[in-house]
Amino acid sequence: MSRLLITGGTVVNATGPIPMDVLVDGETIAALYAPGTGPADVGTLDATGKYVIPGGIDVHTHMQLPFGGTAASDTFESGTIAAAWGGVTTIVDFAVQRTGEVVQESLAAWHAKAEGNCAVDYGFHMILGGVDDDALKAMDQLVDSEGITSFKMFMAYPGVFYSDDGQILRAMQKASDNGAMIMMHAENGIAIDVLAAQALSRGQTDPIFHGLTRPSVLEGEATNRAIVLAGVAGAPLYFVHLSASEALAKVAEARDAGRNVFAETCPQYLYLTLEDQLGAPGFEGAKWVASPPLRSKHENHLPDLWKGLRTDDLAVVSTDHCPFCMKDQKELGIGNFTKIPNGIGTVEHRMNLIYQGVVDGKLSLARWVETCSTTPARLFGMYPRKGVIAPGSDADIVLYDPNGTSDLGLASQHMNMDYSAWEGFRIDGHVDTVLSRGSVVVSDGTFSGRAGHGRYVRRGPSDLLR
Ligand code: URP
Ligand code: ZN
Ligand code: ZN
């Protein structure tokens, strides 16, 4: 097996930055050395002036997700290649079971889509769209035998993915029993559907009404309800794509009480707003239709979320990568905002966008790595194989250059979309080199990986439950 010494860089783990050389042996990290003290008889990769960080882990993606009569436009191949370009070496995608489907069959369908097609490693969470006795039994089997230890449920999307409180409680009781994590999409979908129908009946059809009919208090209410239900069941709980101050306050309160409650947010909720993006003229705002919606810049959501990342009330930044093209996809909702497929594509940009938070003084370097790699690995049973630069860990490594810039936009992106939700954003740094399990997959502005290199990651229980 080939050995490679990464020299001259600053290793950044969740514990902080320290100048070290890193020896890669085959697919794993073999050793760390004080600068200049590593073996001489090996190939070298010069990381002078660069940060050497564990590969990004995006625990919330939706490659090829069927949604609203169409499907997310990134395949596992195009989406994981884009991920690699952006310094992401592991994704955890959501396999979907809908009402009436057998959980194991739905999972098999997701494996069939991904297997042999991924450029970086991948795992699955399971979406439970129909909780019944069989689905509850299947949860045990997935935890015990399939390496799936997390299950997403929806308090939104009645008639599509929605579970009622009784179904949610039963799944939480099962999770309390088998050690799984319940992931929650917390929006009061029943109330939202009433508001959306009322808006349409008034002729309010533009994309901005997607946001105005999903007020942040309805995310706060659902978040509180889920926390109460998880308390009754004694189950750990993880909120996906948290967007609102009201929801964050409920998470912080539960954490202060010592509860196993965790949350992620996404770059779109840290940077983009209801007025500036969703409210763009005409149908343009459809580019940013996602649920929960972008929040108002006249409220405190964005600064609150950055603060939550600093204080660990928000433990993770994921992307909720769910891209749709404007043509033939988002356009399905012209004249009716409820028909716009929900989702934004960001898998390629998360490491850059959160690094910009470091440049802007909002986060430390260590917290960048912790929220984008280490905690995702720990919360979702992949640590220390992933999420850390340490001997024995997979050699998923990014050389990040704080010099130079990254210009985000359609012209340079690799995600399969006909627009960019991030057009015109400039980052003060760039992903320089990416190794996936010891193989260089991106360097010198070239992708040298291949679809099929990525392996399925069987995950264990969460490492962060107290
Ligand atoms: O708008 C979104 N978030 N689309 C993907 C599905 C989900 O709820 O995560
Ligand atoms: Zn969701
Ligand atoms: Zn999602």
Side-chain angles (χ1 to χ4, degrees):
M1 280 294 225
S2 59
R3 297 201 306 160
L4 180 70
L5 189 65
I6 302 173
T7 59
T10 300
V11 170
V12 186
N13 275 319
T15 44
I18 177 161
M20 293 285 248
D21 294 349
V22 180
L23 181 65
V24 174
D25 190 349
E27 295 198 345
T28 55
I29 295 169
L32 271 67
Y33 296 93
T37 65
D41 59 339
V42 296
T44 55
L45 184 57
D46 183 12
T48 304
K50 292 168 194 149
Y51 298 123
V52 180
I53 65 170
I57 301 177
D58 191 342
V59 291
H60 192 152
T61 71
H62 298 285
M63 308 304 174
Q64 300 175 234
L65 174 74
F67 194 109
T70 183
S73 56
D74 261 323
T75 61
F76 278 91
E77 176 168 345
S78 64
T80 54
I81 290 173
W85 274 105
V88 171
T89 51
T90 308
I91 63 162
V92 186
D93 201 82
F94 286 86
V96 183
Q97 176 248 2
R98 289 170 195 266
T99 312
E101 289 178 2
V102 176
V103 171
Q104 286 90 345
E105 288 176 10
S106 309
L107 174 60
W110 244 260
H111 273 295
K113 293 191 218 196
E115 200 176 340
N117 293 319
C118 292
V120 297
D121 287 354
Y122 64 100
F124 292 133
H125 313 283
M126 191 82 216
I127 286 177
L128 295 177
V131 173
D132 56 16
D133 291 346
D134 289 339
L136 290 168
K137 247 186 251 150
M139 286 174 73
D140 284 337
Q141 199 258 325
L142 265 55
V143 169
D144 292 344
S145 316
E146 304 290 344
I148 295 181
T149 51
S150 41
F151 297 86
K152 181 177 176 186
M153 307 193 75
F154 290 80
M155 302 169 100
Y157 302 128
V160 187
F161 297 124
Y162 176 82
S163 290
D164 65 29
D165 290 355
Q167 291 173 308
I168 289 170
L169 182 63
R170 290 187 77 200
M172 287 175 166
Q173 288 169 333
K174 176 57 80 179
S176 154
D177 206 39
N178 67 19
M181 179 76 84
I182 296 294
M183 308 172 78
M184 191 58 71
H185 180 133
E187 288 185 291
N188 184 328
I190 301 286
I192 285 166
D193 274 11
V194 170
L195 296 177
Q198 289 170 344
L200 287 178
S201 72
R202 289 191 293 267
Q204 296 170 326
T205 62
D206 284 349
I208 193 162
F209 291 101
H210 172 80
L212 295 175
T213 56
R214 304 181 90 92
S216 56
V217 286
L218 292 183
E219 186 179 342
E221 183 277 328
T223 302
N224 185 54
R225 187 158 31 105
I227 290 170
V228 171
L229 291 171
V232 170
L237 182 58
Y238 176 94
F239 289 98
V240 292
H241 48 46
L242 189 148
S243 72
S245 301
E246 295 91 331
L248 179 58
K250 292 297 169 191
V251 169
E253 186 183 304
R255 289 179 61 74
D256 288 349
R259 294 276 305 277
N260 276 317
V261 171
F262 307 92
E264 67 179 22
T265 191
C266 310
Q268 52 270 33
Y269 303 118
L270 292 164
Y271 283 102
L272 310 177
T273 66
L274 178 103
E275 292 81 8
D276 293 338
Q277 278 79 29
L278 200 50
F283 191 65
E284 193 72 2
K287 292 175 175 173
W288 295 279
V289 164
S291 298
L294 303 182
R295 297 304 181 187
S296 173
K297 67 178 178 186
H298 302 305
E299 296 163 352
N300 227 29
H301 305 288
L302 280 71
D304 281 351
L305 295 185
W306 280 109
K307 183 169 141 220
L309 280 176
R310 281 195 295 278
T311 60
D312 202 33
D313 285 327
L314 292 169
V316 168
V317 181
S318 71
T319 57
D320 193 9
H321 177 75
C322 192
F324 296 98
C325 293
M326 282 296 267
K327 185 164 167 37
D328 296 336
Q329 295 200 298
K330 293 281 186 181
E331 283 176 355
L332 292 167
I334 291 176
N336 181 344
F337 67 88
T338 67
K339 305 270 186 234
I340 301 170
N342 286 202
I344 295 175
T346 310
V347 74
E348 190 170 349
H349 300 324
R350 180 187 61 135
M351 297 306 286
N352 271 327
L353 285 162
I354 305 308
Y355 178 71
Q356 189 62 39
V358 176
V359 175
D360 295 344
K362 291 175 170 152
L363 283 188
S364 66
L365 272 175
R367 198 71 190 130
W368 170 50
V369 168
E370 189 168 34
T371 55
C372 292
S373 181
T374 311
T375 300
R378 295 189 69 190
L379 266 174
F380 293 104
M382 295 179 277
Y383 188 89
R385 180 171 161 197
K386 308 278 189 193
V388 61
I389 304 281
S393 297
D394 282 356
D396 293 344
I397 299 173
V398 174
L399 274 47
Y400 195 89
D401 192 344
N403 298 304
T405 52
S406 307
D407 287 307
L408 313 190
L410 183 59
S412 58
Q413 77 183 9
H414 302 88
M415 298 177 287
N416 185 30
M417 300 172 70
D418 62 2
Y419 74 97
S420 167
W422 300 98
E423 197 66 55
F425 273 71
R426 170 165 281 197
I427 306 297
D428 297 310
H430 71 276
V431 172
D432 179 88
T433 304
V434 181
L435 280 76
S436 166
R437 291 192 335 272
S439 299
V440 174
V441 295
V442 174
S443 69
D444 296 330
T446 308
F447 175 73
S448 53
R450 63 176 174 84
H453 164 82
R455 282 198 204 130
Y456 178 63
V457 180
R458 286 179 179 275
R459 297 182 294 108
S462 176
D463 184 35
L464 283 179
L465 304 183
R466 346 177 235 233

